[in-house]
Amino acid sequence: MAKRRLTSRQKRQRTKKIRNRVILALAVLALTSAAMAPELRAYLNAKIRRGVQAFADLRAQEIEVTLPERRIYALQLGVFDNEESAESERKRLAAMGVPCVVWQDAQMRLMADAATSRETLLGETAGQTSFVTEETLTRVDMRLSAGKSDGNDAARLLHLPDEALSRLESGEVLADVLANVRAQAQRGVSAHPENTLYTQLAQSLVNWCALIEKTPNGDKPYARATMALLCRELRRALANQ
């Protein structure tokens, strides 16, 4: 059977759909993986790396997005060589009222707070300066190839973790930060119902709000630690192309 040839317009439409899916899939996986178990996060990161390469092949000069370099300071409460030990300690600390999140590299590190300003972090962790670690989040410059409206929407969501972390550090009431993030994310959930991946990205931010609200006493350090991890994983995924 002869293969049907696509018109130029159909080719452009198909390419646009593929580009949008790749762009949004990267952000969805990076944001969602942060709250998951280490072994599942490793699996998702592998998916992200493969997706980034596909994204690089499709990228075009249309909408420029920059995630700036950021220095992150974090309160580290434990370092472990395996997932089981890290998870056991995380649960023990949580039972004591100290929620932590696992930052995974060669080792598993339990982080209880994070900030882009050392002064901000030390103000919250007086007497624990020996446990403060630091790292630099790489600047990421990218161009989104999509329709202008869709591209701008995707860019706003990609910037939302950075913006939320800054607001969490500013002294703003946690409930107000959560309300703002949820409002932006919920608009995204309904903005493009035809685009499943865009909707999933927005929903992941709504889920982050729910996660923090479930934390005893609405723990602000834990909110910063998890949001800093989102910023970190998102940059790593986008830079690793």
Side-chain angles (χ1 to χ4, degrees):
M1 180 181 293
K3 187 175 181 179
R4 185 170 65 89
R5 299 175 67 92
L6 297 177
T7 66
S8 297
R9 182 171 180 274
Q10 289 173 324
K11 289 179 180 179
R12 286 196 301 270
Q13 289 177 333
R14 185 177 66 176
T15 300
K16 176 182 175 181
K17 289 180 181 179
I18 293 173
R19 287 169 176 166
N20 288 344
R21 288 171 183 170
V22 171
I23 292 167
L24 296 172
L26 299 181
V28 169
L29 290 174
L31 290 170
T32 305
S33 69
M36 294 184 175
E39 65 274 14
L40 183 53
R41 187 184 309 116
Y43 169 78
L44 288 177
N45 284 341
K47 293 288 187 182
I48 289 171
R49 285 192 290 273
R50 288 195 291 272
V52 170
Q53 184 56 54
F55 170 72
D57 295 337
L58 291 168
R59 190 171 57 185
Q61 299 181 10
E62 193 165 310
I63 299 174
E64 295 186 357
V65 177
T66 296
L67 299 182
E69 177 180 289
R70 305 194 78 172
R71 184 66 58 84
I72 293 291
Y73 301 89
L75 179 61
Q76 178 176 291
L77 298 187
V79 181
F80 303 89
D81 292 325
N82 60 75
E83 299 164 9
E84 292 78 11
S85 296
E87 182 62 16
S88 176
E89 180 65 3
R90 187 194 67 77
K91 290 180 179 178
R92 186 185 75 83
L93 290 171
M96 296 172 59
V98 185
C100 298
V101 62
V102 177
W103 290 29
Q104 183 175 359
D105 293 291
Q107 294 179 303
M108 317 294 172
R109 298 183 291 156
L110 288 182
M111 301 301 192
D113 196 356
T116 58
S117 164
R118 188 179 183 88
E119 290 71 26
T120 297
L121 188 65
L122 294 182
E124 297 274 351
T125 60
Q128 303 185 75
T129 58
S130 60
F131 299 108
V132 174
T133 66
E134 64 179 89
E135 66 177 88
T136 300
L137 305 187
T138 305
R139 171 187 170 118
V140 176
D141 295 294
M142 56 187 294
R143 292 187 175 110
L144 305 183
S145 180
K148 186 173 182 180
S149 177
D150 289 348
N152 286 334
D153 287 344
R156 279 192 292 271
L157 283 179
L158 290 170
H159 279 298
L160 191 51
D162 274 19
E163 294 172 359
L165 181 58
S166 295
R167 298 184 69 178
L168 289 167
E169 293 180 54
S170 69
E172 187 171 347
V173 176
L174 177 58
D176 292 342
V177 177
L178 292 174
N180 179 268
V181 171
R182 178 180 282 109
Q184 293 190 61
Q186 285 180 333
R187 284 197 297 270
V189 169
S190 59
H192 298 285
E194 77 287 352
N195 191 317
T196 302
L197 289 174
Y198 182 91
T199 302
Q200 288 175 345
L201 170 55
Q203 187 64 56
S204 70
L205 293 168
V206 173
N207 292 345
W208 175 82
C209 294
L211 172 67
I212 301 306
E213 288 176 336
K214 291 178 182 177
T215 304
N217 302 318
D219 195 279
K220 197 169 186 178
Y222 180 63
R224 287 194 294 259
T226 50
M227 189 55 71
L229 179 58
L230 299 183
C231 296
R232 177 181 188 252
E233 295 300 322
L234 181 57
R235 280 171 173 76
R236 286 186 168 190
L238 295 175
N240 188 27
Q241 46 181 295

